[in-house]
Amino acid sequence: MTQSLQPSSESFDPTEFRKALGTFATGVTIITARAADGTPIGLTANSFNSVSLDPPLVLWSLANNAMSFDAFRNALHWAVHVLGSDQEDLSGRFARRGEDKFSGLDTDEGEGGVPLLRGCAARFQCRTATQYQGGDHLIFIGEVLRFDRDEAAPLVFHGGKYAHATRRDPPDIKPRSAHLAGSFGEDFLGYLLGRSHFRFFAQIRPFLDHEGLDDMEFYVLSTLTLKPLLTEGQIAEGLAGVLDANRQRALDGLVERGFARRTAADGFELTDGGREAAIRLIAAAKAVESQVLERLGTGDAVILKTTLNRLLGVVDESAADVLWQSGEGERKG
Ligand SMILES: Cc1cc2nc3c(=O)[nH]c(=O)nc-3n(C[C@H](O)[C@H](O)[C@H](O)COP(=O)(O)O)c2cc1C
């Protein structure tokens, strides 16, 4: 069954060659199979590609030095899992040599007993049709016996790094440009961020009104959920640059209304009533978020959040890391 493809005799700088190949953006897959002794095997591979629609054929290639090489070469069946944008950790796990990659994972059983992973963008269950020796890799061509797919956004690999794919704007959505030369224009970052924030927040405000809170009181209340006890300085740090002039008034307002109280240790904490109101508001805000992100599409939602986090890192180096990172542990303690 195995045929041989002769490599070119020309030699390249291997690093440059890798870099040049890396300019080709691909999806990321995990290929699984079962070794002759029944052990599940699998590895991350981006060499996957479609070959033929009729008959349905796909291909991928496996390094000759992979620990799973013999098992894959002898396997009659294997499955290709196209990973979704939220499966980077799984990709990392299956790219580590020889580990027990399946430990703790829920799997289904596919054709020929092949372990099938869950939560992927698509799965192709295949039977080996042909193998070609291609230099330092073995190329597998498989006949697709079954497949299934989900609407998940794909994980992308480009230039040796994971990436997300985003759709290009449809032609009818063009950035609106200003009439006056020298004016800000509607593709000004501040306009896009500001308007998005105000329009998004307008959908949450009715829930704040219901609790009798204004925007700043909500921000302070949310900040107080991050840790059991916060000093005034920490609250100021957490909300630095957000309606600074209104902070003290908002804090006093929350205390007056019985949502927060001053503690002996010169800090502030939520009362039971404050915590319950915060939980109600966070649930309502999350529901608004889900609706908005659903309309945007999963892939673009992930990209938007990733990019905004990176933007925050650029414009807000002092971002209140201390508050966000250690809160969970302290609450448990
Ligand atoms: C994004 C990505 C794509 C990869 N593509 C392939 C591939 O197509 N073929 C391959 O043999 N190894 C590929 N690898 C490397 C293997 O996943 C890695 O060597 C793995 O440890 C092999 O498993 P094993 O040695 O336990 O069999 C890739 C790794 C990453 C992170």
Side-chain angles (χ1 to χ4, degrees):
M1 182 158 69
T2 304
Q3 301 176 27
S4 194
L5 297 180
Q6 291 305 315
S8 149
S9 58
E10 220 173 315
S11 64
F12 305 106
D13 173 341
T15 312
E16 280 306 310
F17 185 45
R18 260 175 189 274
K19 279 187 185 165
L21 291 174
T23 61
F24 185 59
T26 66
V28 181
T29 73
I30 291 174
I31 320 275
T32 59
R34 209 169 274 282
D37 66 359
T39 314
I41 52 167
L43 85 160
T44 302
N46 68 341
S47 52
F48 171 72
N49 221 320
S50 55
V51 173
S52 158
L53 291 176
D54 187 15
L57 299 174
V58 295
L59 70 74
W60 65 285
S61 61
L62 174 65
N64 293 343
N65 62 3
M67 291 186 72
S68 54
F69 184 83
D70 287 334
F72 269 113
R73 192 175 47 183
N74 295 321
L76 292 179
H77 295 91
W78 36 268
V80 181
H81 305 77
V82 179
L83 298 189
S85 60
D86 59 347
Q87 291 182 305
E88 198 176 312
D89 288 349
L90 199 64
S91 171
R93 176 199 279 233
F94 277 81
R96 281 191 283 275
R97 248 173 112 71
E99 279 187 17
D100 178 10
K101 302 172 183 179
F102 291 84
S103 144
L105 288 185
D106 287 330
T107 55
D108 301 314
E109 188 155 301
E111 293 285 333
V114 171
L116 298 179
L117 306 171
R118 296 178 183 170
C120 303
R123 304 189 294 195
F124 300 93
Q125 298 182 50
C126 306
R127 176 168 54 208
T128 300
T130 322
Q131 295 173 354
Y132 295 98
Q133 192 61 55
D136 56 10
H137 278 61
L138 184 64
I139 303 164
F140 291 77
I141 295 195
E143 179 193 355
V144 180
L145 304 177
R146 287 167 188 269
F147 69 90
D148 56 69
R149 75 179 176 95
D150 206 345
E151 287 304 319
L155 183 62
V156 173
F157 199 66
H158 179 239
K161 292 196 169 72
Y162 293 106
H164 299 297
T166 185
R167 286 192 312 264
R168 293 181 61 125
D169 279 342
D172 53 330
I173 304 184
K174 291 214 175 74
R176 289 166 292 179
S177 55
H179 298 293
L180 280 179
S183 73
F184 276 131
E186 288 180 322
D187 66 344
F188 173 60
L189 184 61
Y191 168 80
L192 293 171
L193 290 173
R195 191 168 173 106
S196 302
H197 166 74
F198 287 121
R199 302 301 294 192
F200 174 71
F201 208 81
Q203 297 185 42
I204 297 175
R205 196 164 289 116
F207 299 99
L208 270 58
D209 291 344
H210 189 72
E211 302 285 347
L213 296 175
D214 64 24
D215 292 11
M216 190 58 190
E217 286 167 336
F218 173 64
Y219 298 152
V220 175
L221 186 81
S222 317
T223 306
L224 284 170
T225 63
L226 297 178
K227 279 191 168 189
L229 189 74
L230 286 177
T231 64
E232 229 169 301
Q234 286 174 314
I235 296 171
E237 192 190 337
L239 288 169
V242 182
L243 303 175
D244 290 324
N246 294 336
R247 194 175 51 247
Q248 191 57 53
R249 180 199 49 74
L251 201 45
D252 292 343
L254 288 176
V255 172
E256 246 168 59
R257 223 158 304 156
F259 283 149
R261 66 174 152 252
R262 247 176 219 284
T263 66
D266 193 26
F268 288 87
E269 65 182 5
L270 288 174
T271 60
D272 287 348
R275 189 163 294 283
E276 281 160 22
I279 289 169
R280 280 193 297 275
L281 286 171
I282 290 167
K286 291 257 177 206
V288 169
E289 182 195 33
S290 315
Q291 285 165 14
V292 169
L293 294 185
E294 197 181 317
R295 290 186 63 192
L296 199 62
T298 326
D300 286 352
V302 172
I303 291 160
L304 177 67
K305 286 193 170 188
T306 310
T307 313
L308 286 176
N309 264 314
R310 287 181 53 204
L311 178 66
L312 267 180
V314 172
V315 297
D316 186 7
E317 285 165 15
S318 69
D321 291 342
V322 190
L323 288 189
W324 293 96
Q325 284 170 9
S326 55
E328 189 60 26
E330 287 190 21
R331 224 171 287 139
K332 278 182 195 146

